[in-house]
Structures are given as structure tokens and as C-alpha cells.
């Protein structure tokens, strides 16, 4: 019986909808937009936040960070000695280890290649429970000095791309500037951690060949570390275990560990922590857009139900029950919703494919954006639920018409449901107001950030990364690095169109330097006593021509020159902000400063110059301090080169690549970009989420305009007889037009009041995402109501002119 009723309802619904193609197209298109947007955002959210982590028991994986006991200080990574002590003494971890990303060149083929390398201890592989596709990972003996430390594990992707999936790769040598490594294993596809790692080498092999002895100090917390909890152990229990070890290390090493404790964070949260608030914001915005879509369709359905009032009355007269009428209306609405959901699924598939192209930074390897079964199920459930929601109101109204009144009224449209339509329009305006305010704040924030003055000239500036490695210790390695950069920079400056070229190991808007490190700077006073200043600081080793290439102005003293060698007193150039902080009442040039570490200190250096302040990221508020040291006194290994040029960027790019191939064929050139693009790419989240929310707000505004126009048109149609009588009794057409427009403005006013309250809650939520504007920005908060008022007036004009063009004699004759 139920199957027969459903079949009859579907057949009748199909026939009825075929007779109303325009209505069907509008409803399906509206639903396709709303469901498509929500499905795409759900797919993005599922891929980043909900998709299972591709590791065994991912809830047991944690990120290890060193927290300061000083309030307001940022967390940092871990040092090598600390990691070994925590690993040996803990009772709550299966294992823990270092897996720190670096860039190293491969020189075992005719063309050098810069690859993402992870400096790894065996504990990192054990913590991740990673099993190679072939071969093995590192043994404990390959993590100690004196052991067989020159081994490597390759990613499946590097094995395929560079070595053609050579089946005999195990046992072969991979040559790098550091050393030659024997391949012992290949990881499965997509199993790279940290993300996009192409090659793993033992940490000790890097430390042994490094000429920076300080990187092994206990106070040098610069290594990314992970761990796996024992089954059944909570993060709170593990934290208590680590706290007891931290207390012991603080007593044992007070100079380096007194103010630090090891902290834990779920590994997945550590990976996507900065994206989560934007995704939740977009989910809310997409849901609000869908709300407007449903409200629009409900309004259309109410109008259609009013037009079908006589049909409902006749069916009732012929014996149709109220439940049968309700089921008929719901069948039609669900059928339309499913058709809209299918169309929305196509929109979502296209949107999901387009999203990665809008993100300039590689997503983690475990993030897969696709329309899978979970996304399909979300789409189906959303479609059916919406069909029931927007079909319920007209279905309930359809059976309430009195039989005698319905037959008497004939074709006259019932006015029942007007209060619901008005309420839906108020909801339209409220939601639209909220989205427009949120989008306006995010877009204005992005616009101001991209216009920020970085302290240097970013136009006509080409940058690229180098990761040369020169063997030797201390003075021997230093001189080799100096010789290398001298050759490179002289060759680049000889390229036609190049004005200046320089290099630095800490570069503005570089991913690795977006977060300034805390540093303690010692200052020697006139009485030769030392005082210290501590704060967020960027320390850069630079070539003498770096400042000219970057366009950083000299304020006092001089730049570096070739006379600032390692056998002379250490020279330092500082920024204006640093000079004001360290020397508030006297000139900085000629003063002495040094970097003070927890367990050591640099030699005293003399300030030889003061340069302009530089922002290392557009989002930093109170920027920190900058200390520059000459590359002739400190070796510059991994660096970013800045090339100031004139002329065509494409021609310069090609010429620079050719010059680098000639002067340094064994050193790979990577990440070559114009400085303007490098700066813009650091704001990709502000740009992407702002424009997506702006798109949602624009869609909401369009849908609200259409909905408001539809409601006003319906009201005018219902009051045609009233307007005709008023005009026949002498009412002016201006009064009729005013009545229509004032009705629209009244609805908008209620929506604006509710929208202001809702937007207040939204701005509190997104205030942490705003850097360059405040959540109460007056321009945004005043322009949005003005825009909505203009839209309301525009939406009411056409129905208003239709009302004043009513001919009284025609209305009376029809009645």
C-alpha cells in the first residue's frame, strides 16, 4: 500500500513539475548552489580535520614542544640532549624521536636537486610505526657517533621520480655535499613525515659533519620531535610523567632547563592548528548560505501552494485526507531537493578540484581532497532533509483551507502564510548582514596586510634558495663558504639587468623565519658592566651587498665590507628599533653587544651600522629586533639570495638560472620567486578564506535580493484589489509606491537589528584572525547596512511600479 502511494506521489509530482519548468529550474539552481557550497566545504573539512590519520593508532601520536614557564613566551622545539634524556627516563611513551626538516642537495646525477630531508632518529620511525615498502629503517647503532651513520631511507616519490623505481636501489650510494649515503629502505607512497619529506638521514650524520658546534648544546632547542603514547595512556598522564622529568632536569641543568618544560600536543592538531578556525568559520558561513537558499525555496513553495489552494480544496472535496496532501507536497519538495543535490554534487566536485590550486603551499601528504563516500552521504542526507524542511511549511498550510471558502474564492490567491514569508525575509537580511560583516572584515584585513610597508623595496626583486654544503670545521669551512658566495654574487652581478645581489640565512617572509626566536642580548655599558635585554629577535648572517640588494636604508654608520673578517673584532649591524631598545639615550654606533645563550655567549661585537626596521611577516604587530652579522665572520650555509634587477622579470629569471648553472653546477637552485609573490604567498590563508567568505556573502546577498523581490511581488499580487480600491478612492500613486517600499524597508530594518546582534557574536569569534583591523571597524559596520538598504529599495522598485500601474476599473471588473 505504501509503495503504491509513493509511486502515485512520484508520478503526480513528476507530471506537475514538468508543467512548471521555470519554478523547477529556479529551485534546483538555488539548491545546487547551497548544497554544492556546503558539500565542497564539508569535503575540505573532512580532508583536513576528519579523515583518518594514515598512521597506526593516530590518537597516540603527539608533538613534543618546549614550553617556557615565563608567561606569554612562545613554545619552541627540543634540543638533542633533552630529547635523549626524556626518551630514556619516561614511562608513558612507546618511543619518541627527532624528525627535523632540512633542505639538502643531491649531486649523484648530472643535475643537482634540492630535496626535503628529515634529520631523523630511530625513535621517530618507531613512534610513527612506519614500515618501509622494501628494506628497513634506522637501527639504534645508526644514531650514535662511531656507529654506521651514513644510511638513508628514500620516499617512494623520490625513488620513482629521480631513480626510475630502480629495483636494485638498496645498497646503492646517494651522494650529497655532506656525505654519501647508502640506501637501506623505500617508504610506501604517501607515508612521508614530516610532510613532503623525500629522504631521511640519521641526525648524527648531520651533526658530525656540521661546523656549528652550538647546535648540539642543551639550550639549542631547534629540532622537531614526535612521540607515541603507550596504549591506554592519556595526554594528561603523559604530561605528568614529563613534568617530573622536567623538574629533575631543571635541578640538574639550572642554566638551561630551569625555565623550560616539555609540553605535548596531539599531532593532528599540531599539523592543522592554524587552519582549523578558518574551516569552522567557513562551515558556519556555508550553513548560513544554505539557510538563505532554504528560505528562498520555502517562499517560492508558499507562493506555489497559494496558487494551488483551489487544487487542494478540490482534492479535499473529492476525499483526499490531510496526510495524503502533506505527503504529496513533501514528495514534490524531496524530489526537487534530490535533483538539486545531484547538481550540487557536480558543483562540489569542481570546487574541490579547484581548491588546491588556490593554496600556494603544499598541503600535508595525508590530506586528500575528494568527494568520497562520507561527502556523498552528507550530500544525500542534506538534500533529503532540505526537501522535508522547505516542503513542510506549504504542506501544512495546504490542508487548512476551508472547503466552502476555497470553492467560493476560486482563483483568488490566499494570503495565508504571509507572516512566515516576512519572517523568512527577516532571517535573510540577518544572515546576509552577518556574512557581509565577516567577509568585509577579513577582506579589509587582507588588503591592509598586503599593503604593509616591509621596510625594504619588494619591487623588481628576485629571490631563490641555495643550500650549499662546504666540508670542514670552523675557519676552514668558513673560508669555503665565503669563496662560494663571492663567486656566486660576482657572477650574478655580471648578468645584464642585475643591479645588486646579496644573500642571507634569515630572510623576510621566508617560512622558517615567520616566527621570531627569543634571544637575550648583552650590552656593555660605559662602566664595562653587562646588562641584558630579552625579546623576539631575528639574527641574520648576510653578505655585504645584502642591504643594497634588498633596499634596506642605512640610517647611521656603515654597511659591512670585505674588511670585516673573522680575525677582526666582530662587527654587527642593527635595526633602528634595536638601537632604540638597547641604546635609548645614546648613539648605537661604536657600542658593544653580544648574544647570550643559556649555557654560553658569543664574543663581544661592535655596532658598525644602523639600518631601517624590517618586517619579517606582514602579520606581526609589534615587530621584534634585528641583528645582522657578516658572512665573513659566520658561515652562511642555507640561504636565500636576493637579486635586484631592472627590465623583464622572465628574462632575468632565465638569465639568473643560466648563471647559477655555470658558477655552481653542483648546487641546486630552488623556490625562485619574485619578492612580491613571496610576500603575497605568506598571506594565502587570509586571502583564500577571506575571498571564500566574500563569495559566500555575495551569494547570500544575491539570494536575499531575489527573495526580497519575490516576497514583495507576492504581496503586491495579493493586494492588487486593495491597491485598485485605494486608487479608485483617490489615493496618489506616490503613496502606493511609498507603502510598498516602506514595507520592504521595515522587513530589512528588523533583519538589520537581528543581524547586528548575530554579527557581534561572529566578530568575537574571528577577532583572533584579524591583525590589521578591529572587529568593530566602523567602515564595515556602516557600509553593510547601507548596502542592504540600497538592495531593499532596488528590490522593491519593480513590484512598486507594478502596483502603481494598477488600473482600478480592471480590478473592479475582475472582482
Amino acid at each position: 500500500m505504501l509503495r503504491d502511494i509513493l509511486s502515485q506521489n512520484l508520478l503526480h509530482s513528476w507530471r506537475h513539475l514538468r508543467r512548471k519548468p521555470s519554478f523547477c529550474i529556479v529551485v534546483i539552481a538555488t539548491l545546487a548552489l547551497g548544497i554544492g557550497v556546503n558539500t565542497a566545504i564539508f569535503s575540505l573539512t573532512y580532508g583536513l580535520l576528519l579523515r583518518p590519520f594514515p598512521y597506526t593508532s593516530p590518537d597516540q601520536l603527539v608533538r613534543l614542544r618546549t614550553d617556557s614557564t615565563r608567561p606569554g613566551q612562545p613554545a619552541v622545539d627540543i634540543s638533542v640532549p633533552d630529547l635523549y634524556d626524556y626518551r630514556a627516563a619516561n614511562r608513558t611513551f612507546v618511543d619518541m624521536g627527532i624528525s627535523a626538516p632540512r633542505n639538502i642537495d643531491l649531486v649523484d646525477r648530472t643535475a643537482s636537486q634540492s630535496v626535503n630531508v628529515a634529520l631523523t632518529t630511530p625513535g621517530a620511525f618507531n613512534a610513527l610505526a612506519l614500515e618501509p615498502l622494501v628494506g628497513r629503517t634506522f637501527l639504534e647503532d645508526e644514531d650514535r657517533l662511531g656507529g654506521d651513520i651514513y644510511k638513508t631511507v628514500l620516499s617512494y616519490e623520490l625513488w620513482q621520480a629521480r631513480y626510475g623505481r630502480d629495483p636494485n636501489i638498496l645498497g646503492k650510494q646517494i651522494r650529497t655535499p655532506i656525505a654519501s649515503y647508502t640506501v637501506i629502505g623505500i617508504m610506501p607512497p604517501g607515508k612521508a613525515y614530516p610532510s613532503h619529506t623525500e629522504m631521511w638521514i640519521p641526525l648524527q650524520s648531520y651533526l658530525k659533519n656540521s661546523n656549528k658546534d652550538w647546535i648540539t648544546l642543551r639550550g639549542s632547542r631547534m629540532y622537531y620531535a614526535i612521540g607515541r603514547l603507550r596504549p591506554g595512556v592519556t595526554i594528561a598522564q603523559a604530561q605528568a610523567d614529563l613534568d617530573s622529568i622536567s623538574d629533575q632536569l631543571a635541578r640538574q641543568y639550572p642554566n638551561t632547563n630551569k625555565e623550560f618544560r616539555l609540553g605535548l600536543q596531539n599531532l593532528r592538531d599540531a599539523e592543522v592548528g592554524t587552519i582549523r578556525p578558518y574551516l569552522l568559520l567557513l562551515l558556519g558561513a556555508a550553513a548560513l548560505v544554505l539557510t538563505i537558499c532554504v528560505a528562498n525555496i520555502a517562499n517560492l513553495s508558499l507562493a506555489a501552494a497559494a496558487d494551488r489552494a483551489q487544487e487542494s480544496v478540490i482534492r479535499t472535496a473529492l476525499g483526499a485526507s490531510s496526510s495524503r496532501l502533506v505527503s504529496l507536497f513533501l514528495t514534490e519538495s524531496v524530489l526537487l531537493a534530490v535533483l538539486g543535490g545531484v547538481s550540487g554534487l557536480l558543483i562540489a566536485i569542481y570546487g574541490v578540484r579547484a581548491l588546491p590550486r588556490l593554496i600556494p603551499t603544499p598541503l600535508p601528504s595525508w590530506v586528500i581532497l575528494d568527494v568520497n563516500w562520507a561527502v556523498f552521504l552528507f550530500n544525500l542526507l542534506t538534500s533529503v532533509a532540505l526537501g522535508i524542511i522547505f516542503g513542510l511549511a506549504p504542506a501544512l498550510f495546504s490542508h487548512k483551507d476551508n472547503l466552502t471558502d476555497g470553492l467560493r474564492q476560486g482563483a483568488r490567491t490566499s494570503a495565508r502564510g504571509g507572516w512566515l514569508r516576512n519572517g523568512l525575509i527577516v532571517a535573510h537580511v540577518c544572515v546576509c548582514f552577518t556574512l557581509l560583516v565577516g567577509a568585509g572584515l577579513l577582506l579589509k584585513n587582507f588588503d591592509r596586510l598586503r599593503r604593509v610597508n616591509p621596510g625594504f623595496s619588494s619591487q623588481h626583486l628576485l629571490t631563490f634558495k641555495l643550500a650549499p654544503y662546504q666540508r670542514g670545521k670552523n675557519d676552514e669551512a668558513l673560508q669555503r663558504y665565503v669563496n662560494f658566495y663571492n663567486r656566486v654574487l660576482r657572477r650574478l652581478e655580471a648578468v645584464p639587468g642585475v643591479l645588486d645581489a646579496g644573500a642571507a640565512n634569515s630572510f623576510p617572509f621566508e617560512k622558517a623565519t615567520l616566527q621570531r626566536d627569543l634571544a637575550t642580548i648583552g650590552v656593555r655599558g660605559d662602566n664595562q658592566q653587562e646588562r641584558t635585554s630579552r625579546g623576539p629577535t631575528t639574527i641574520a648572517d648576510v653578505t655585504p651587498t645584502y642591504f643594497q640588494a634588498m633596499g634596506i636604508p642605512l640610517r647611521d654608520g656603515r654597511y659591512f665590507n670585505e674588511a670585516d673578517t673573522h680575525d677582526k673584532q666582530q662587527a654587527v649591524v642593527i635595526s633602528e628599533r634595536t638601537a632604540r631598545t638597547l641604546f635609548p639615550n645614546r648613539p648605537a654606533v661604536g657600542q658593544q653587544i653580544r648574544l647570550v645563550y643559556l649555557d654560553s655567549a658569543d664574543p663581544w661585537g661592535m655596532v658598525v651600522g644602523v639600518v631601517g626596521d624590517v618586517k619579517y611577516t606582514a602579520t606581526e604587530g609589534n615587530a621584534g629586533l634585528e641583528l645582522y652579522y657578516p658572512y665573513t665572520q659566520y658561515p652562511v650555509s642555507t640561504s636565500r639570495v636576493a637579486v635586484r634587477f631592472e627590465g623583464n622579470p622572465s628574462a632575468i629569471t632565465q638569465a639568473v638560472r643560466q648563471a647559477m648553472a655555470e658558477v655552481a653546477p653542483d648546487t641546486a637552485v630552488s623556490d625562485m620567486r619574485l619578492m612580491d609573490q613571496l610576500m603575497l604567498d605568506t598571506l594565502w590563508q587570509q586571502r583564500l578564506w577571506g575571498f571564500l567568505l566574500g563569495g559566500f556573502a555575495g551569494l547570500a546577498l544575491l539570494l536575499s535580493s531575489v527573495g526580497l523581490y519575490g516576497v514583495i511581488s507576492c504581496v503586491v499580487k495579493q493586494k492588487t484589489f486593495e491597491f485598485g480600491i485605494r486608487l479608485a478612492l483617490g489615493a496618489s500613486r506616490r503613496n502606493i509606491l511609498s507603502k510598498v517600499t516602506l514595507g520592504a524597508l521595515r522587513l530589512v530594518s528588523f533583519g538589520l537589528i537581528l543581524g547586528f546582534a548575530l554579527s557581534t557574536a561572529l566578530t568575537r569569534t574571528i577577532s583572533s584572525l584579524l591583525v590589521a583591523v578591529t572587529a568593530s571597524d566602523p567602515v564595515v559596520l556602516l557600509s553593510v547596512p547601507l548596502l542592504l538598504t540600497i538592495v531593499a529599495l532596488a528590490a522593491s522598485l519593480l513590484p512598486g511600479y507594478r502596483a502603481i500601474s494598477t488600473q482600478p476599473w480592471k480590478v473592479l471588473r475582475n472582482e
Side-chain angles (χ1 to χ4, degrees), residues 400-421:
K400 292 184 179 181
D401 290 301
N402 179 271
L403 176 58
T404 305
D405 291 342
L407 292 173
R408 183 186 306 121
Q409 288 176 352
R412 180 181 295 179
T413 303
S414 172
R416 183 179 287 121
W419 63 270
L420 180 57
R421 286 193 292 269

Side-chain angles (χ1 to χ4, degrees), residues 78-81 214-223 598-599:
I78 196 171
S79 67
V80 175
W214 54 268
I215 65 177
T216 61
L217 298 177
R218 186 173 294 273
S220 180
R221 297 180 166 93
M222 55 185 293
Y223 297 100
L598 295 172
D599 45 4

Side-chain angles (χ1 to χ4, degrees), residues 102-144:
R102 294 290 188 274
N103 285 103
I104 297 178
D105 291 348
L106 297 184
V107 292
D108 60 335
R109 288 286 195 272
T110 55
S112 59
Q113 177 183 350
S114 178
V115 296
N116 299 318
V117 173
L119 313 179
T120 308
T121 61
F125 283 115
N126 296 338
L128 290 168
L130 286 177
E131 293 294 334
L133 183 68
V134 293
R136 62 174 178 85
T137 58
F138 302 141
L139 304 176
E140 291 295 330
D141 187 61
E142 294 161 350
D143 187 39
R144 66 175 182 83

